[in-house]
């Protein structure tokens, strides 16, 4: 219906008979502009016109074309509100306390957690100390952003691994890997998240990443 409009899509190819580079080359040959080539799936993010999209869809080695949707965070709220831990029940529900240790039994060392979100505010020293060991930014909407102006990623990191006495997280000694995909408005492209997954898989051994949120 809109042959001249530029569409942002994720193109996937035949996993048995091609690579992500092959998908990007096919898209390019049909007039597309590949933006990212993925590793965790055989595919690439591509910008192309409506008429070129139809041509690409007919190619025998292309298995799927989906919109590179703009996603947003679920849930809203003031993440700076401090709720006394005695008024919360989720820590007991997830049985977090055995991970904290005690005077006679030190806490087991948790693996690193990758927080795929709006970023982590490193100034929350009481929560994270020096445990943010790596950062990577895959946000196409805010590629040069720093920190966490939204607060959502910092809140998630605090629930997972915060070490503040008033509002402790679950794995209080876990190292954190800040994998930013979302803008300060909490918006991200699907392709940003796939690229983040690629990076986590490539770097999981380096940082001992065993959990991704």
């Amino acid at each position: 219906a809109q042959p001249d409009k530029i569409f942002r899509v994720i193109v996937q190819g035949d996993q048995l008979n091609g690579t992500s580079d092959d998908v990007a080359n096919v898209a390019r040959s049909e007039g597309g502009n590949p933006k990212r080539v993925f590793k965790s799936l055989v595919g690439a993010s591509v910008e192309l016109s409506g008429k070129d999209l139809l041509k690409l869809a007919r190619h025998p080695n292309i298995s799927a074309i989906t919109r590179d949707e703009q996603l947003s965070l679920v849930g809203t709220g003031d993440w700076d509100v401090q709720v006394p831990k005695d008024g919360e029940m989720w820590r007991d529900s997830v049985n977090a306390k055995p991970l904290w240790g005690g005077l006679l039994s030190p806490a087991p060392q948790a693996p690193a957690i990758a927080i795929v979100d709006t970023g982590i505010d490193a100034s929350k020293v009481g929560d994270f100390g020096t445990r943010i060991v790596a950062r990577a930014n895959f946000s196409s909407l805010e590629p040069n952003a720093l920190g966490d102006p939204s607060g959502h990623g910092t809140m998630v990191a605090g629930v997972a691994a915060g070490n503040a006495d008033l509002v402790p997280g679950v794995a209080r000694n876990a190292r954190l890997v800040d994998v930013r995909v979302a803008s300060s408005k909490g918006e991200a492209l699907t392709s940003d998240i796939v690229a983040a997954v690629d990076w986590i898989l490539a770097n999981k051994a380096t940082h001992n990443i065993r959990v991704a949120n």
Side-chain angles (χ1 to χ4, degrees):
Q2 297 174 297
D4 296 321
K5 179 181 176 179
I6 299 299
F7 291 87
R8 198 163 51 197
V9 297
I10 294 175
V11 182
Q12 296 182 67
D14 185 342
Q15 296 188 34
L16 298 178
N17 298 309
T19 66
S20 292
D21 287 329
D22 294 332
V23 172
N25 289 333
V26 169
R28 191 178 291 109
S29 71
E30 297 293 358
N33 178 24
K35 308 297 287 184
R36 277 180 170 149
V37 176
F38 301 125
K39 297 177 182 177
S40 54
L41 55 82
V42 177
S45 61
V46 179
E47 290 183 349
L48 76 174
S49 67
K51 59 178 179 288
D52 290 334
L53 192 156
L54 291 178
K55 291 191 294 182
L56 182 61
R58 300 187 187 102
H59 197 282
N61 292 334
I62 299 303
S63 61
I65 302 175
T66 54
R67 287 184 182 273
D68 190 359
E69 297 282 6
Q70 183 166 307
L71 309 175
S72 60
L73 300 172
V74 176
T76 59
D78 183 353
W79 311 121
D80 291 327
V81 172
Q82 297 290 306
V83 179
K85 61 183 178 183
D86 291 340
E88 299 177 329
M89 296 186 296
W90 66 266
R91 294 175 185 83
D92 292 331
S93 297
V94 302
N95 198 27
K97 290 181 181 178
L99 295 178
W100 296 351
L103 292 177
L104 301 179
S105 57
Q109 178 59 56
I113 303 171
I115 304 294
V116 185
D117 212 287
T118 61
I120 303 175
D121 183 355
S123 70
K124 306 292 186 182
V125 177
D127 276 326
F128 310 124
T130 59
R131 291 182 294 122
I132 303 174
V133 296
R135 294 179 182 274
N137 185 2
F138 295 96
S139 173
S140 296
L141 304 176
E142 289 182 359
N144 299 314
L146 300 173
D148 178 21
S150 163
H152 189 276
T154 304
M155 181 273 297
V156 170
V159 170
N163 194 36
D165 289 333
L166 181 61
V167 281
V170 175
R172 300 177 69 172
N173 63 11
R175 295 178 176 86
L176 292 163
V177 179
D178 177 3
V179 186
R180 181 169 184 158
V181 296
S183 70
S184 55
K185 296 180 180 179
E187 297 170 336
L189 302 182
T190 302
S191 57
D192 298 339
I193 298 171
V194 177
V197 171
D198 282 350
W199 187 90
I200 290 169
L201 292 174
N203 291 276
K204 63 180 182 179
T206 300
H207 302 299
N208 192 29
I209 301 170
R210 301 291 297 278
V211 180
N213 190 106

